[in-house]
Amino acid sequence: MTGEASPTGNGTPPMGARRMSSAAEDQMRIDIADNLDDNILSWFKKRNGDTLKGALAFVPWVLQQTYFEGGMVNNKVVIHEGKGAVVFSDASGFTALTERLAKKSDGAELLSHCLTSFFTPLIDIINAYRGDVIKFSGDALTIYFQAVDDTKSSKYNHVVPPHGTWGLPDLGPMATAVLRASACCIEIHKRLHMFDTGVDNVKLCLHIGVGCGEVHILQVGGVVPPETKSPRYEYIIAGPPLEQISIAEPLAKNGETCLSPQAWDYVKACVVEGPPLEERRDFHLLLRMDESKYTFPTIKHAAMENDDRSEKQFKMTHLPIIRRYIPSAVYKQIECGTLTYVNEMRNISVIFISGSGLDPMSKQGPGIAQELMASVQNYCYQHEGTLNKFLIDDKGMLFLLVFGLPPLVHTDDPTRAVLACFDMVKVFKRLQLIGKFGVTTGRNYCGVCGSARRMEYTVLGDSVNLAARLMANAPPLGIYCDAQTKIRSTTEIIFNALAPIKVKGKANPISIFQPVKKEVNTAIGLTINGKISFPWHQNAFGGVSAGGLSVGEFQEGVIRLCSIKTWTGILEANRILNCTSFRKEIHSDQALQMPQKGQPPAKGPFKTGGVIVVEGPTGIGKIEIAEHMVTHAAVTFRTFPVFGTMGPRPGDSVRLGCELLRSTIGVFRWSKAGSGLPDDDFEALKQLVPQKNAGRLPLLQQVLVKDKADLSKERSKELLDVSLNVAIELLTQFAEMESVVMVMQFEYGTSLFPKNSEDQNIFWETITILYENFIKNPSKTSKPRVMMLVCRESNAKNPAVAHAAKDIEIVKEGKEDIQKSALVKMSGLDEANLAEYMSSYLNLPDSDQNLIPSPLRYFVIQVTSGNPLYTRETIDQLREHHIQVNQGAGGQVRNVECKDIDKVNVSHWGHTAMVGNTVCLIEALDPLEAAVLKMSTCFAGPFTLGDLAASTCSRWAEATYFDFLRLFQAIRKLVVLEIIDRVDAPQDDLRAETAAQSPNARYIQYFQTQSVLIRSVGGAMVLEAQKKSVKRQALIDRALSRELPAKMAILAIKRSAQHIPWYYEQAFRRML
């Protein structure tokens, strides 16, 4: 089955083998434990015990029971088959509550408190009746009352029947389950109807539907998310009761419970019916129990007495199993003991998907459900989103996907959500299912919902509800988006406005849009009109869309940056090109003027062939340098460019093959050998491909087609392989006549976990193939063959990269001979270069640096660290209120005025790539690392481990060395990531002076968050009250560390001296 993963994924073998290995592991743990100190053991036991307690709340009882009964082996999708009652409880009032609290600064805390106050008694009641909360659907619950024969339980007393009324006969497992469900609903209404939230007079109430019959629990998925190594599974409940409650629940009004005909047949002699339902007389309202026979207290007491579910509860060794069902970010917070920190109001993009055409109860249904889930997970994770919910009811399947939840936070989450929908539409087409999609963006509550006994991570809010409404109104295989998604998306997507629609919960019609992928220019490389079409002119990168810039603006950017004569980037490019200066005249929007006969350089890759690598972070100037080198080589050396790029969006391997083919055809058109080739690329390819490869033409046609269907991994690999083979063959033939530069680019945009993506592996495998078969061993008659790699981080183990690193050249710099290779690591502009770049961007005459005020120059270098993209963004933001270019009467620039530069709050520039990428970097950190970074921004100067520990694990509050070690590890990780810096001790810090004087004192390491950008953005995430608390605790800790030891020593001396109470002294004196 495609995409099916074993429900024992994560390396867990079948049950028998699991028990054997578990015994060996247990013995190993015992051996280790025997050699550990009791304090260490107690610390680990407490920490793991707290983790287990928190994690168990995310797993329903039936999953634990199924695991111990061996239901999760042999790739089973249907892990539980049983009978029982199913209850769907929906709360009214949460939408109004969420909307009101979303506007408050402490809205997340207030909403979390309301949710806990409401769901804690609700779940306690459900649990008392042996109900099992299977799913949270926003503010609704799906509850399973399993039909179990309690008379066979070890806890059964053989006196009182399982229903709780002595003297009445046993009703049987199914009737007892429905009776318990009915009694549970009655008590819920009695205790929680019109629940007062304490917020603006908002009250909550429930309406409930009850059904019964055969129940299946399916476990589907098993795909590993990008931010973890543990596979994620979703469990769903399916069966006839789901169809029944989908009818029953809407028939019930607030404070009412409606039973399906099937459920009513089991309990009609046990309860009193409410008013008849005119629209569906076969469904029945539940009024109360027939108290002459049964009461809900006695039913509840009997259920609790016979409840043996705790006998099959996960233990510490099952944590790897439990974490399959918990989002990785939530599990990390559980481990750190900071689960309450996940509750927050945040901007997210939400996708609701409705799928129909699948019956999970049929023979083929579970297999299709698994394939569908695995495919949806794959595309969701490729775009770095989170799959939050998967449900099944009578209307089909319901998926809830969220983009923007930590740690997967991006500046382009709305775009990612819509692009994921495009991919998933192809999945539904392939599986011949009907899918409808609704996408919205807005501020919502994101956090845990439930109680300490049972909870789930969910999202609640107005835009979440709106996504469900748009989904319901969308046509089959259609996507509807709201206005916010349109506004916040990049130019990769075109949004067509549709007629506004009226939806439930909204007074006015809602504007809706239908997204369409923007068609990219298929002309790559040398075009028919005599220009070079670079792929980065049309593909988004670095969190912004390049589609908003014209070719002329790109060329202007190349000229502006490469004109800085002392910039290391252009110096390296000139060295490789073996030229002395930058020629800006070659970067124009005119047709390319290639010489009839090229003049190759005296040395370097463009003379002998080889590999050039240009690497560096986003916005550092890689693209500008690559574009200049390719253009210069074309107009000077007559080197023909071909291109192959991947990214920044996932699944672009076939695009890489397509670009290689199209650009290869382009160079043939320009050469004498290709004169007369037709304009259509496929028709041209048919003339170029040798007859022996004519059988590959159908595959090549599929590569060149614009709108590609949902391709399996195997099919994509086949198309890429055939593209590479044909491109290598044609280019080998072409290189006998002309020199070639093959430009290969990998860009992952705003993705946070590119190393975990398949695309990166595919790209470097492709580079190896091209290097081994085209670059490495050219023929003696071949013209120079050059490969240029453009990426953020190169793969040092790749043979092409290794070739570039070994291509050493001795360069004279002053009096020293420096070894330089063809591997160019880009770095930012230094202060002098930055001033020149700023003056050019501000259009100052002759790029006069002297016109730029020193405070402005210092501010920009501190914030941007010399990054050209960040520099442009900073100047654009400052131009609004802080920079003014003053001109004279003749339009001549007199000076640049800079005002209030010290009052600029960089964290408010969230729409820029600079701040947006910094926010994403912080959000992607582990919980403890993020907490350390945020605390570090509270200190204006250097700080120590003890300063941070004072707020989290103070030595004066029974903290252990392990707590300090975890904190130190987090600091060390941030130092490695160059987010926090090691610094020298400040001169006015008495702790350093004391440590220097004491022979037994340990060396104190100081740290500081020196990046102005990170300090500003990270500091904005900390409340003022929290900042004061961190500083206060650090000051107290410093005072105690300085003064308390001496005082404790004095106290110890006093205690060691013999002490006679005063009244004894007086007695002794009288005796004397």
Side-chain angles (χ1 to χ4, degrees):
M1 192 187 310
T2 303
E4 182 168 286
S6 166
T8 60
N10 208 28
T12 306
M15 290 297 288
R18 181 183 59 78
R19 290 195 182 99
M20 291 173 60
S21 64
S22 180
E25 289 174 2
D26 289 345
Q27 183 59 48
M28 184 176 68
R29 291 190 187 96
I30 292 170
D31 294 339
I32 294 173
D34 288 340
N35 297 316
L36 291 178
D37 183 82
D38 289 341
N39 291 332
I40 298 175
L41 282 175
S42 62
W43 186 87
F44 276 109
K45 286 179 180 178
K46 181 181 183 304
R47 182 171 177 235
N48 290 336
D50 292 343
T51 301
L52 176 65
K53 182 179 178 181
L56 279 175
F58 287 83
V59 185
W61 288 106
V62 68
L63 285 189
Q64 302 178 59
Q65 170 193 330
T66 300
Y67 176 82
F68 286 104
E69 292 176 354
M72 295 185 182
V73 295
N74 301 326
N75 296 346
K76 289 177 69 174
V77 176
V78 180
I79 60 173
H80 171 82
E81 298 181 36
K83 294 181 179 180
V86 178
V87 173
F88 187 77
S89 168
D90 191 12
S92 299
F94 266 111
T95 301
L97 181 66
T98 307
E99 287 179 0
R100 294 179 189 184
L101 292 181
K103 300 174 184 177
K104 299 187 178 183
S105 59
D106 58 346
E109 297 174 27
L110 293 174
L111 184 56
S112 175
H113 175 73
C114 290
L115 290 171
T116 303
S117 300
F118 179 72
F119 278 108
T120 296
L122 175 61
I123 291 172
D124 285 345
I125 293 170
I126 292 167
N127 201 57
Y129 285 93
R130 285 184 70 173
D132 192 4
V133 178
I134 303 298
K135 281 286 182 182
F136 288 73
S137 309
D139 51 11
L141 302 179
T142 303
I143 309 152
Y144 178 32
F145 291 83
Q146 191 174 349
V148 180
D149 189 354
D150 283 341
T151 60
K152 297 179 180 179
S153 170
S154 60
K155 290 191 172 185
Y156 182 57
N157 59 20
H158 299 280
V159 177
V160 180
H163 53 65
T165 303
W166 183 81
L168 293 180
D170 181 20
L171 298 174
M174 179 62 91
T176 302
V178 179
L179 182 67
R180 287 173 178 167
S182 302
C184 179
C185 295
I186 290 172
E187 183 171 356
I188 287 171
H189 288 311
K190 283 184 176 293
R191 297 187 184 278
L192 297 176
H193 184 55
M194 299 301 291
F195 179 84
D196 189 0
T197 62
V199 177
D200 297 343
N201 202 32
V202 175
K203 291 181 169 52
L204 306 178
C205 45
L206 296 160
H207 48 109
I208 304 174
V210 182
C212 70
E214 282 192 30
V215 171
H216 286 182
I217 303 289
L218 282 68
Q219 179 177 258
V220 291
V223 179
V224 179
E227 76 277 15
T228 183
K229 295 181 180 179
S230 180
R232 279 282 283 126
Y233 285 89
E234 290 291 330
Y235 51 87
I236 51 174
I237 183 169
L242 277 296
E243 301 176 19
Q244 299 167 26
I245 60 176
S246 67
I247 301 171
E249 183 267 328
L251 293 173
K253 298 177 183 177
N254 287 335
E256 294 181 343
T257 298
C258 180
L259 274 65
S260 70
Q262 295 84 349
W264 181 255
D265 286 342
Y266 282 105
V267 297
K268 59 185 177 183
C270 310
V271 300
V272 177
E273 183 181 4
L277 295 166
E278 297 298 331
E279 58 269 41
R280 289 297 299 263
R281 289 196 168 265
D282 51 337
F283 283 75
H284 305 269
L285 291 178
L286 178 63
L287 183 61
R288 64 177 187 274
M289 304 301 300
D290 183 352
E291 294 172 357
S292 64
K293 300 176 182 177
Y294 307 97
T295 63
F296 67 79
T298 55
I299 295 171
K300 179 167 69 172
H301 180 75
M304 294 170 66
E305 285 289 313
N306 295 309
D307 191 354
D308 59 356
R309 292 178 295 182
S310 60
E311 296 175 3
K312 295 178 179 178
Q313 188 176 38
F314 283 142
K315 303 294 189 296
M316 202 86 73
T317 54
H318 300 116
L319 279 173
I321 306 297
I322 300 173
R323 71 179 303 169
R324 300 173 182 177
Y325 310 106
I326 307 175
S328 64
V330 177
Y331 188 82
K332 288 177 181 178
Q333 296 281 15
I334 294 172
E335 283 187 311
C336 293
T338 55
L339 185 59
T340 54
Y341 292 175
V342 302
N343 303 327
E344 57 186 337
M345 294 290 182
R346 96 171 17 249
N347 287 312
I348 55 174
S349 293
V350 176
I351 305 174
F352 258 110
I353 308 173
S354 170
S356 58
L358 170 64
D359 179 10
M361 299 291 286
S362 66
K363 186 176 181 181
Q364 302 296 327
I368 299 174
Q370 164 62 23
E371 186 172 357
L372 175 63
M373 169 53 78
S375 299
V376 169
Q377 276 186 324
N378 266 316
Y379 282 123
C380 178
Y381 297 156
Q382 282 179 20
H383 290 277
E384 292 195 350
T386 303
L387 201 156
N388 187 257
K389 291 283 184 295
F390 179 38
L391 310 169
I392 290 184
D393 58 21
D394 67 310
K395 299 174 184 175
M397 300 153 291
L398 191 68
F399 296 85
L400 173 59
L401 286 73
V402 187
F403 288 77
L405 294 178
L408 303 174
V409 180
H410 315 87
T411 54
D412 58 346
D413 277 315
T415 301
R416 289 172 175 271
V418 177
L419 292 175
C421 287
F422 290 144
D423 289 334
M424 288 183 283
V425 165
K426 297 175 182 178
V427 172
F428 279 84
K429 282 182 180 178
R430 172 167 55 85
L431 296 177
Q432 298 181 344
L433 301 173
I434 296 173
K436 301 195 292 183
F437 301 77
V439 187
T440 58
T441 300
R443 187 172 172 81
N444 298 276
Y445 171 79
C446 308
V448 292
C449 180
S451 72
R453 303 183 72 168
R454 182 72 177 93
M455 65 179 75
E456 278 189 9
Y457 185 80
T458 192
V459 291
L460 299 169
D462 181 53
S463 70
V464 177
N465 297 335
L466 181 58
R469 309 285 185 248
L470 295 185
M471 171 199 72
N473 284 275
L477 301 176
I479 306 168
Y480 279 178
C481 301
D482 71 337
Q484 281 300 310
T485 302
K486 171 185 178 294
I487 293 168
R488 299 188 186 186
S489 293
T490 63
T491 56
E492 297 164 78
I493 303 167
I494 297 172
F495 291 86
N496 297 322
L498 303 177
I501 59 172
K502 192 78 174 64
V503 299
K504 179 182 175 183
K506 295 291 182 182
N508 300 318
I510 297 297
S511 299
I512 59 171
F513 302 87
Q514 193 168 42
V516 179
K517 255 188 178 181
K518 183 179 180 180
E519 282 196 15
V520 296
N521 184 7
T522 56
I524 295 293
L526 287 169
T527 61
I528 297 173
N529 59 9
K531 302 176 183 178
I532 302 178
S533 176
F534 291 91
W536 45 79
H537 285 179
Q538 49 190 299
N539 292 327
F541 61 93
V544 295
S545 175
L549 298 178
S550 66
V551 174
E553 289 171 320
F554 263 102
Q555 292 172 335
E556 183 182 343
V558 173
I559 294 171
R560 180 182 295 116
L561 186 56
C562 294
S563 294
I564 302 175
K565 298 178 181 179
T566 57
W567 175 45
T568 55
I570 193 61
L571 292 175
E572 288 293 284
N574 289 342
R575 176 181 64 82
I576 292 172
L577 294 169
N578 198 31
C579 64
T580 56
S581 61
F582 169 71
R583 296 169 55 194
K584 67 179 182 180
E585 68 275 6
I586 65 176
H587 297 282
S588 67
D589 202 20
Q590 304 299 317
L592 206 64
Q593 299 297 322
M594 292 183 71
Q596 291 297 319
K597 187 175 181 181
Q599 297 293 328
K603 59 181 179 178
F606 286 98
K607 170 68 175 178
T608 59
V611 181
I612 304 166
V613 178
V614 182
E615 66 175 15
T618 297
I620 206 69
K622 304 186 301 292
I623 299 300
E624 289 86 345
I625 286 297
E627 184 163 332
H628 167 59
M629 292 174 74
V630 169
T631 306
H632 182 96
V635 300
T636 308
F637 312 142
R638 190 177 169 83
T639 302
F640 286 75
V642 295
F643 298 91
T645 65
M646 285 183 68
R649 304 306 176 189
D652 275 349
S653 61
V654 178
R655 192 193 82 194
L656 184 149
C658 178
E659 289 183 359
L660 271 176
L661 287 175
R662 291 189 187 279
S663 56
T664 299
I665 295 167
V667 299
F668 270 95
R669 282 199 186 99
W670 262 65
S671 68
K672 297 177 181 178
S675 58
L677 285 176
D679 293 346
D680 182 81
D681 285 341
F682 181 64
E683 294 299 322
L685 198 60
K686 286 198 289 187
Q687 294 186 23
L688 292 173
V689 172
Q691 188 61 36
K692 63 178 182 179
N693 291 327
R696 296 176 174 178
L697 286 172
L699 291 175
L700 295 173
Q701 186 176 22
Q702 191 173 351
V703 172
L704 295 175
V705 72
K706 284 185 180 181
D707 188 17
K708 297 175 179 61
D710 179 38
L711 302 173
S712 65
K713 293 180 183 177
E714 295 75 16
R715 187 63 169 175
S716 296
K717 185 178 185 307
E718 182 184 13
L719 294 179
L720 177 60
D721 288 345
V722 72
S723 303
L724 294 178
N725 291 335
V726 171
I728 290 170
E729 188 172 347
L730 293 178
L731 288 173
T732 301
Q733 173 188 338
F734 184 82
E736 295 296 318
M737 304 175 289
E738 305 283 359
S739 61
V740 177
V741 57
M742 179 183 287
V743 184
M744 307 298 293
Q745 181 201 20
F746 181 73
E747 177 57 64
Y748 51 82
T750 58
S751 295
L752 299 166
F753 299 92
K755 292 183 179 178
N756 296 343
S757 73
E758 293 181 2
D759 287 355
Q760 184 152 276
N761 296 330
I762 293 171
F763 177 79
W764 290 112
E765 288 170 4
T766 300
I767 296 303
T768 301
I769 292 170
L770 293 171
Y771 173 75
E772 297 287 349
N773 295 281
F774 181 67
I775 301 293
K776 186 177 181 181
N777 297 309
S779 66
K780 293 182 180 180
T781 57
S782 174
K783 296 293 178 69
R785 305 177 185 182
V786 182
M787 174 183 283
M788 182 184 296
L789 303 179
V790 184
C791 55
R792 292 200 206 175
E793 305 99 8
S794 59
N795 183 353
K797 297 180 181 179
N798 187 275
V801 178
H803 181 120
K806 291 176 183 177
D807 191 359
I808 301 297
E809 177 187 358
I810 305 299
V811 179
K812 198 83 171 174
E813 288 191 3
K815 296 181 179 180
E816 296 183 10
D817 290 338
I818 307 295
Q819 287 189 343
K820 300 246 179 166
S821 71
L823 197 160
V824 180
K825 294 187 177 183
M826 303 288 291
S827 58
L829 301 165
D830 62 26
E831 190 169 350
N833 293 156
L834 187 67
E836 184 178 347
Y837 188 68
M838 290 170 61
S839 62
S840 174
Y841 193 68
L842 287 168
N843 295 318
L844 302 183
D846 300 322
S847 298
D848 190 351
Q849 305 177 31
N850 297 321
L851 292 175
I852 300 177
S854 297
L856 174 60
R857 185 184 307 190
Y858 180 77
F859 176 83
V860 174
I861 191 69
Q862 288 292 311
V863 171
T864 67
S865 299
N867 185 300
L869 170 62
Y870 294 174
T871 300
R872 297 194 298 272
E873 290 182 332
T874 300
I875 292 175
D876 288 340
Q877 297 304 311
L878 293 176
R879 267 176 166 164
E880 295 181 9
H881 302 291
H882 302 279
I883 294 179
Q884 183 174 342
V885 179
N886 298 318
Q887 296 179 341
Q892 193 74 16
V893 176
R894 292 186 306 175
N895 66 333
V896 177
E897 187 178 348
C898 170
K899 55 185 179 181
D900 298 332
I901 200 75
D902 56 326
K903 297 179 181 179
V904 175
N905 190 338
V906 178
S907 64
H908 290 171
W909 302 346
H911 54 285
T912 63
M914 176 177 68
V915 174
N917 291 342
T918 306
V919 171
C920 298
L921 170 68
I922 296 173
E923 295 279 17
L925 296 171
D926 281 346
L928 187 57
E929 293 163 10
V932 167
L933 172 59
K934 292 173 185 177
M935 284 192 294
S936 74
T937 63
C938 300
F939 300 98
F943 60 88
T944 65
L945 174 64
D947 291 334
L948 298 183
S951 297
T952 57
C953 50
S954 173
R955 75 190 84 176
W956 318 112
E958 298 184 352
T960 66
Y961 283 113
F962 281 100
D963 296 311
F964 277 83
L965 181 61
R966 290 177 62 235
L967 197 62
F968 177 71
Q969 288 286 73
I971 296 175
R972 193 171 71 169
K973 176 72 176 295
L974 294 173
V975 170
V976 171
L977 293 174
E978 298 181 353
I979 295 174
I980 287 179
D981 305 293
R982 288 190 177 94
V983 296
D984 295 330
Q987 294 181 354
D988 58 346
D989 197 316
L990 296 177
R991 290 174 296 176
E993 183 180 341
T994 304
Q997 294 173 354
S998 174
N1000 298 322
R1002 296 180 180 178
Y1003 171 72
I1004 299 177
Q1005 176 65 64
Y1006 288 79
F1007 305 91
Q1008 188 174 7
T1009 306
Q1010 294 183 317
S1011 168
V1012 174
L1013 180 59
I1014 293 176
R1015 283 185 62 85
S1016 178
V1017 175
M1021 297 180 176
V1022 186
L1023 299 176
E1024 285 300 321
Q1026 293 173 327
K1027 291 180 181 179
K1028 291 179 182 178
S1029 175
V1030 170
K1031 293 177 183 177
R1032 182 170 57 248
Q1033 294 298 328
L1035 287 173
I1036 293 172
D1037 184 82
R1038 291 180 185 183
L1040 289 173
S1041 300
R1042 185 172 59 250
E1043 300 177 11
L1044 189 60
K1047 292 184 177 182
M1048 293 297 291
I1050 295 171
L1051 182 62
I1053 293 172
K1054 287 182 178 180
R1055 286 179 174 175
S1056 64
Q1058 186 176 9
H1059 174 65
I1060 300 175
W1062 64 270
Y1063 45 84
Y1064 284 132
E1065 285 186 13
Q1066 292 180 353
F1068 288 146
R1069 287 171 183 166
R1070 285 196 297 269
M1071 291 173 64
L1072 293 174

PDB file of all heavy atoms in Angstrom, residues 333 337-344 446 927 931 1026:
ATOM      1  N   GLN A 333       7.297  20.579  25.311  1.00  0.00           N
ATOM      2  CA  GLN A 333       6.856  21.405  26.433  1.00  0.00           C
ATOM      3  C   GLN A 333       6.479  20.536  27.632  1.00  0.00           C
ATOM      4  O   GLN A 333       6.729  20.907  28.784  1.00  0.00           O
ATOM      5  CB  GLN A 333       5.648  22.258  26.018  1.00  0.00           C
ATOM      6  CG  GLN A 333       5.929  23.271  24.924  1.00  0.00           C
ATOM      7  CD  GLN A 333       6.622  24.517  25.429  1.00  0.00           C
ATOM      8  OE1 GLN A 333       7.138  24.533  26.531  1.00  0.00           O
ATOM      9  NE2 GLN A 333       6.660  25.562  24.621  1.00  0.00           N
ATOM     10  N   GLY A 337       8.185  20.621  31.326  1.00  0.00           N
ATOM     11  CA  GLY A 337       7.298  21.064  32.394  1.00  0.00           C
ATOM     12  C   GLY A 337       6.713  22.435  32.156  1.00  0.00           C
ATOM     13  O   GLY A 337       6.354  23.139  33.106  1.00  0.00           O
ATOM     14  N   THR A 338       6.625  22.834  30.892  1.00  0.00           N
ATOM     15  CA  THR A 338       6.136  24.181  30.550  1.00  0.00           C
ATOM     16  C   THR A 338       4.939  24.106  29.607  1.00  0.00           C
ATOM     17  O   THR A 338       4.825  24.906  28.687  1.00  0.00           O
ATOM     18  CB  THR A 338       7.262  24.994  29.893  1.00  0.00           C
ATOM     19  OG1 THR A 338       7.781  24.260  28.758  1.00  0.00           O
ATOM     20  CG2 THR A 338       8.391  25.250  30.863  1.00  0.00           C
ATOM     21  N   LEU A 339       4.048  23.145  29.835  1.00  0.00           N
ATOM     22  CA  LEU A 339       2.936  22.928  28.912  1.00  0.00           C
ATOM     23  C   LEU A 339       2.030  24.149  28.811  1.00  0.00           C
ATOM     24  O   LEU A 339       1.459  24.414  27.750  1.00  0.00           O
ATOM     25  CB  LEU A 339       2.120  21.704  29.350  1.00  0.00           C
ATOM     26  CG  LEU A 339       0.989  21.263  28.419  1.00  0.00           C
ATOM     27  CD1 LEU A 339       1.521  20.938  27.040  1.00  0.00           C
ATOM     28  CD2 LEU A 339       0.249  20.068  28.988  1.00  0.00           C
ATOM     29  N   THR A 340       1.888  24.889  29.900  1.00  0.00           N
ATOM     30  CA  THR A 340       1.007  26.054  29.855  1.00  0.00           C
ATOM     31  C   THR A 340       1.508  27.117  28.876  1.00  0.00           C
ATOM     32  O   THR A 340       0.744  27.971  28.442  1.00  0.00           O
ATOM     33  CB  THR A 340       0.879  26.683  31.250  1.00  0.00           C
ATOM     34  OG1 THR A 340       2.195  26.969  31.756  1.00  0.00           O
ATOM     35  CG2 THR A 340       0.162  25.744  32.212  1.00  0.00           C
ATOM     36  N   TYR A 341       2.796  27.056  28.524  1.00  0.00           N
ATOM     37  CA  TYR A 341       3.353  28.055  27.606  1.00  0.00           C
ATOM     38  C   TYR A 341       2.870  27.870  26.169  1.00  0.00           C
ATOM     39  O   TYR A 341       3.076  28.765  25.338  1.00  0.00           O
ATOM     40  CB  TYR A 341       4.881  28.014  27.629  1.00  0.00           C
ATOM     41  CG  TYR A 341       5.513  28.474  28.922  1.00  0.00           C
ATOM     42  CD1 TYR A 341       6.880  28.399  29.123  1.00  0.00           C
ATOM     43  CD2 TYR A 341       4.742  28.988  29.952  1.00  0.00           C
ATOM     44  CE1 TYR A 341       7.466  28.820  30.314  1.00  0.00           C
ATOM     45  CE2 TYR A 341       5.312  29.406  31.140  1.00  0.00           C
ATOM     46  CZ  TYR A 341       6.672  29.317  31.319  1.00  0.00           C
ATOM     47  OH  TYR A 341       7.229  29.732  32.491  1.00  0.00           O
ATOM     48  N   VAL A 342       2.281  26.718  25.862  1.00  0.00           N
ATOM     49  CA  VAL A 342       1.827  26.505  24.484  1.00  0.00           C
ATOM     50  C   VAL A 342       0.540  27.267  24.213  1.00  0.00           C
ATOM     51  O   VAL A 342       0.148  27.439  23.057  1.00  0.00           O
ATOM     52  CB  VAL A 342       1.615  25.007  24.159  1.00  0.00           C
ATOM     53  CG1 VAL A 342       2.881  24.222  24.372  1.00  0.00           C
ATOM     54  CG2 VAL A 342       0.474  24.415  24.970  1.00  0.00           C
ATOM     55  N   ASN A 343      -0.160  27.715  25.254  1.00  0.00           N
ATOM     56  CA  ASN A 343      -1.414  28.436  25.075  1.00  0.00           C
ATOM     57  C   ASN A 343      -1.117  29.882  24.682  1.00  0.00           C
ATOM     58  O   ASN A 343      -0.488  30.620  25.443  1.00  0.00           O
ATOM     59  CB  ASN A 343      -2.244  28.406  26.358  1.00  0.00           C
ATOM     60  CG  ASN A 343      -2.537  26.999  26.819  1.00  0.00           C
ATOM     61  OD1 ASN A 343      -2.691  26.088  26.019  1.00  0.00           O
ATOM     62  ND2 ASN A 343      -2.617  26.804  28.123  1.00  0.00           N
ATOM     63  N   GLU A 344      -1.588  30.282  23.509  1.00  0.00           N
ATOM     64  CA  GLU A 344      -1.293  31.632  23.024  1.00  0.00           C
ATOM     65  C   GLU A 344      -2.256  32.027  21.927  1.00  0.00           C
ATOM     66  O   GLU A 344      -2.913  31.174  21.313  1.00  0.00           O
ATOM     67  CB  GLU A 344       0.140  31.694  22.486  1.00  0.00           C
ATOM     68  CG  GLU A 344       0.405  30.700  21.382  1.00  0.00           C
ATOM     69  CD  GLU A 344       1.854  30.660  20.934  1.00  0.00           C
ATOM     70  OE1 GLU A 344       2.556  31.661  21.147  1.00  0.00           O
ATOM     71  OE2 GLU A 344       2.273  29.647  20.373  1.00  0.00           O
ATOM     72  N   CYS A 446      -4.388  29.139  20.092  1.00  0.00           N
ATOM     73  CA  CYS A 446      -3.678  27.896  19.803  1.00  0.00           C
ATOM     74  C   CYS A 446      -3.176  27.354  21.146  1.00  0.00           C
ATOM     75  O   CYS A 446      -2.364  28.002  21.809  1.00  0.00           O
ATOM     76  CB  CYS A 446      -2.488  28.133  18.869  1.00  0.00           C
ATOM     77  SG  CYS A 446      -2.895  29.029  17.364  1.00  0.00           S
ATOM     78  N   PRO A 927      11.869  24.534  23.381  1.00  0.00           N
ATOM     79  CA  PRO A 927      11.276  25.410  24.405  1.00  0.00           C
ATOM     80  C   PRO A 927      12.282  26.012  25.371  1.00  0.00           C
ATOM     81  O   PRO A 927      12.238  27.208  25.653  1.00  0.00           O
ATOM     82  CB  PRO A 927      10.291  24.476  25.124  1.00  0.00           C
ATOM     83  CG  PRO A 927       9.919  23.456  24.110  1.00  0.00           C
ATOM     84  CD  PRO A 927      11.148  23.255  23.277  1.00  0.00           C
ATOM     85  N   ALA A 931      13.342  29.944  25.734  1.00  0.00           N
ATOM     86  CA  ALA A 931      13.203  30.637  27.018  1.00  0.00           C
ATOM     87  C   ALA A 931      14.512  31.306  27.419  1.00  0.00           C
ATOM     88  O   ALA A 931      14.524  32.447  27.907  1.00  0.00           O
ATOM     89  CB  ALA A 931      12.752  29.650  28.091  1.00  0.00           C
ATOM     90  N   GLN A1026       7.601  40.164  32.994  1.00  0.00           N
ATOM     91  CA  GLN A1026       8.561  39.069  32.972  1.00  0.00           C
ATOM     92  C   GLN A1026       9.998  39.603  32.973  1.00  0.00           C
ATOM     93  O   GLN A1026      10.882  39.049  33.626  1.00  0.00           O
ATOM     94  CB  GLN A1026       8.319  38.190  31.744  1.00  0.00           C
ATOM     95  CG  GLN A1026       7.005  37.434  31.792  1.00  0.00           C
ATOM     96  CD  GLN A1026       6.704  36.713  30.493  1.00  0.00           C
ATOM     97  OE1 GLN A1026       7.056  37.188  29.414  1.00  0.00           O
ATOM     98  NE2 GLN A1026       6.054  35.566  30.586  1.00  0.00           N
TER      99      GLN A1026
END
